[in-house]
Amino acid sequence: MTRPLRIAVIGSGPSGMYAADALASQADLEVSVDVIDRLPVPFGLVRYGVAPDHHSIRSVRDTLDRVLDKPGVRFVGNVEVGEDVSLAELHEYFDAVILTYGASRDRRLEIEGEDLDGSVAATDFVAWYCGHPDADRATFERLIPTGTAVAVIGVGNVAIDVTRVLAKTVGELDDTDMPQYVLDTLGGSHITDIHLLGRRGPAQATFTTKELRELGELLDADVIVDPADLAFDAASDEVIRTDKAVARNVEVIKEWATRVPAGKNRRVHVHFLARPVELRGDDRVREVIVERTALDGSGGVTGTGELTSIAADLVVRSVGYRGTGLDDVPFDAKRGVIPNSEGRVERDGQPVPGEYVAGWIKRGPTGIIGTNKKDANATVASLLADQAAGTLPVASAGTVEDFDALLAERGITIVTTAGWRAIDGAERALGASAGRDRTTIHDRQSLIEASMA
Ligand SMILES: Cc1cc2nc3c(=O)[nH]c(=O)nc-3n(C[C@H](O)[C@H](O)[C@H](O)COP(=O)(O)OP(=O)(O)OC[C@H]3O[C@@H](n4cnc5c(N)ncnc54)[C@H](O)[C@@H]3O)c2cc1C
């Protein structure tokens, strides 16, 4: 083959960018990698998930961005695989395809009242405050100014992010890249009480300590823990003894339980052993019915039958993310992942030639951003081994020009690396006009227009 090896990476989140990086770093192989994304902007959940007030984690964007400067790598935004182009078609234009399209749908609680107005998925709330083009602005701009009490269901880092964003003053968020309408809406909030609800005990929560601590350091929100929630059984003691992170979390939570509220305008109530069993309301959710649970000695809980009600006119469900299938791609609906062996997509236990997977859609929504690097590198190693063994298919129309001609024929306006750089410049300029580093441009049309400037 005289042309470079053509690879399509589907999804420009961390796993896609790390896969492109690994491919472009091969000294003895000429590659041409198109990182395709349905959005006009790259970086997936690093842009649209990681909390905007976590500046150092958000700055991973800069590292990912440098991959787009590597020879042979380009961003191809505003192209949705499965809509604008099928996977089967991609095989005509690329010798191999790496699926890195993430797992960003919400899991449901499966309790009565879950679909009441005012009950929202954390995925949707996070998308809104990060300025995702598909976010439902109207819902949040209606619910937040008219709410006073919020229940956040779930005890992971996303639940903490959501709680912190709702509990912070707008002054504490002013140096973020949140769109101005998000800051304005949060600035008009009358929310006074935020309840973070976990069904297990403090030793079973999956927070990272740094994120947890932040909740106790907010300018205008007291953090409140009922000492009765500090329940530990033999399994808890064991995990506290063996896992330093859990021990640190428990220390933080115990210290909170000793605090006397300082009379701040907002209160963050952190509840353990509290399982939501029903949401009740009228035209809008009004209360969460919670069953008290008891630790069962082996890391789980059992219900006690004791019910209480927590007033909440906004409920944010944060009980995990899940992947969804893509046309023509084998999918394990139970696990929400693409079946694979060492990153090779498998159909009926056999590898599909030229098809690979990495990131959340490969292993499920677990780990930190860096976990995707190791994961993507392993997948690329499988791809390169297949290439060396001569088992990769050869695309019949394998040039950049061929693929661009197909998209142009379909009337699709692609945003390339140059277009993304123009958007980047426009966001920085918009931010500078308000004394910030950057302000996110949220709507798709404005992003596309900015890409052409
Ligand atoms: C709210 C939230 C906060 C987080 N905070 C942190 C944190 O602080 N620190 C940390 O280490 N990790 C954090 N994470 C985890 C981290 O974001 C993930 O590990 C990582 O983003 C997963 O990478 P990915 O590339 O597999 O998926 P994603 O980042 O989801 O990227 C998938 C990409 O695929 C694109 N795509 C989807 N469908 C298609 C399609 N059909 N065609 C083309 N493109 C498509 C999407 O637009 C997206 O750009 C957080 C996650 C969430 C949800």
Side-chain angles (χ1 to χ4, degrees):
M1 193 162 52
T2 51
R3 60 169 173 78
L5 187 69
R6 277 283 279 161
I7 315 279
V9 174
I10 315 305
S12 64
S15 57
M17 297 310 299
Y18 289 133
D21 193 21
L23 286 162
S25 305
Q26 299 305 311
D28 47 2
L29 184 69
E30 205 189 339
V31 292
S32 161
V33 185
D34 278 3
V35 185
I36 300 172
D37 206 290
R38 60 180 290 273
L39 297 176
V41 285
F43 313 139
L45 286 170
V46 172
R47 180 178 164 106
Y48 291 120
V50 171
D53 59 339
H54 280 171
H55 298 282
S56 68
I57 304 172
R58 295 279 278 190
S59 69
V60 169
R61 285 206 265 201
D62 300 337
T63 312
L64 300 181
D65 207 347
R66 283 195 285 276
V67 177
L68 294 174
D69 289 330
K70 294 207 164 182
V73 179
R74 70 168 185 158
F75 178 60
V76 183
N78 201 34
V79 177
E80 180 159 357
V81 175
E83 279 290 322
D84 298 320
V85 58
S86 71
L87 187 66
E89 285 170 327
L90 287 180
H91 282 297
E92 292 171 31
Y93 292 85
F94 297 89
D95 306 311
V97 175
I98 308 182
L99 299 157
T100 55
Y101 65 86
S104 47
R105 292 282 169 80
D106 65 299
R107 281 190 186 281
R108 289 178 60 83
L109 286 167
E110 307 298 351
I111 62 172
E112 213 179 313
E114 185 164 9
D115 294 318
L116 276 170
D117 186 33
S119 161
V120 299
T123 40
D124 294 335
F125 182 55
V126 170
W128 173 74
Y129 68 61
C130 289
H132 193 293
D134 299 342
D136 177 1
R137 278 188 59 180
T139 293
F140 291 102
E141 286 164 36
R142 173 175 59 82
L143 290 174
I144 289 173
T146 52
T148 55
V150 185
V152 180
I153 300 176
V155 283
N157 284 339
V158 176
I160 294 223
D161 285 348
V162 164
T163 301
R164 192 182 62 254
V165 164
L166 286 166
K168 274 191 167 179
T169 61
V170 80
E172 289 171 287
L173 296 169
D174 197 43
D175 64 346
T176 69
D177 59 8
M178 286 174 165
Q180 190 58 47
Y181 65 81
V182 172
L183 293 171
D184 291 345
T185 305
L186 291 172
S189 154
H190 304 289
I191 291 166
T192 54
D193 292 86
I194 304 159
H195 299 268
L196 185 59
L197 301 173
R199 64 190 172 87
R200 299 194 290 168
Q204 283 78 37
T206 53
F207 309 122
T208 48
T209 313
K210 189 165 172 280
E211 294 229 313
L212 188 65
R213 273 206 189 102
E214 277 179 273
L215 276 190
E217 295 162 359
L218 300 176
L219 203 62
D220 201 20
D222 282 315
V223 67
I224 296 170
V225 174
D226 182 345
D229 283 6
L230 300 179
F232 304 96
D233 58 0
S236 309
D237 293 341
E238 179 61 13
V239 71
I240 291 169
R241 198 178 59 75
T242 54
D243 188 329
K244 281 193 187 128
V246 172
R248 280 195 300 266
N249 285 351
V250 167
E251 237 172 70
V252 171
I253 294 161
K254 280 184 172 170
E255 188 268 317
W256 288 351
T258 66
R259 286 194 189 181
V260 177
K264 295 181 178 180
N265 283 312
R266 286 185 176 143
R267 288 163 293 280
V268 172
H269 310 261
V270 184
H271 303 262
F272 296 100
L273 307 174
R275 172 161 59 202
V277 290
E278 187 185 344
L279 305 186
R280 287 188 192 156
D282 35 54
D283 56 333
R284 176 175 179 165
V285 66
R286 300 288 169 197
E287 56 178 333
V288 183
I289 307 300
V290 171
E291 180 185 23
R292 183 82 178 167
T293 60
L295 297 171
D296 68 2
S298 56
V301 286
T302 51
T304 65
E306 183 192 330
L307 300 180
T308 50
S309 162
I310 293 176
D313 40 26
L314 177 62
V315 173
V316 186
R317 308 176 312 258
S318 179
V319 289
Y321 283 64
R322 67 187 168 89
T324 50
L326 198 63
D327 275 356
D328 306 333
V329 183
F331 190 66
D332 178 344
K334 198 160 169 229
R335 294 180 54 225
V337 296
I338 295 176
N340 71 93
S341 169
E342 294 172 344
R344 295 178 178 91
V345 173
E346 285 191 337
R347 190 184 296 276
D348 303 324
Q350 294 302 314
V352 182
E355 232 163 80
Y356 302 85
V357 61
W360 270 16
I361 195 61
K362 173 185 176 189
R363 62 175 202 281
T366 57
I368 57 169
I369 292 170
T371 316
N372 299 295
K373 182 167 189 170
K374 206 170 155 220
D375 185 295
N377 286 348
T379 292
V380 167
S382 294
L383 187 157
L384 293 172
D386 293 348
Q387 193 271 337
T391 57
L392 277 192
V394 176
S396 54
T399 69
V400 170
E401 292 74 23
D402 290 330
F403 187 50
D404 287 0
L406 171 81
L407 298 174
E409 234 171 64
R410 296 190 174 169
I412 297 163
T413 308
I414 64 170
V415 177
T416 59
T417 306
W420 154 240
R421 297 271 191 258
I423 294 172
D424 190 36
E427 290 192 330
R428 287 178 197 276
L430 186 62
S433 68
R436 303 187 194 114
D437 287 345
R438 171 195 295 275
T439 294
T440 300
I441 297 175
H442 66 278
D443 77 285
R444 192 178 275 267
Q445 195 48 40
S446 305
L447 287 167
I448 291 171
E449 279 163 20
S451 78
M452 293 168 174

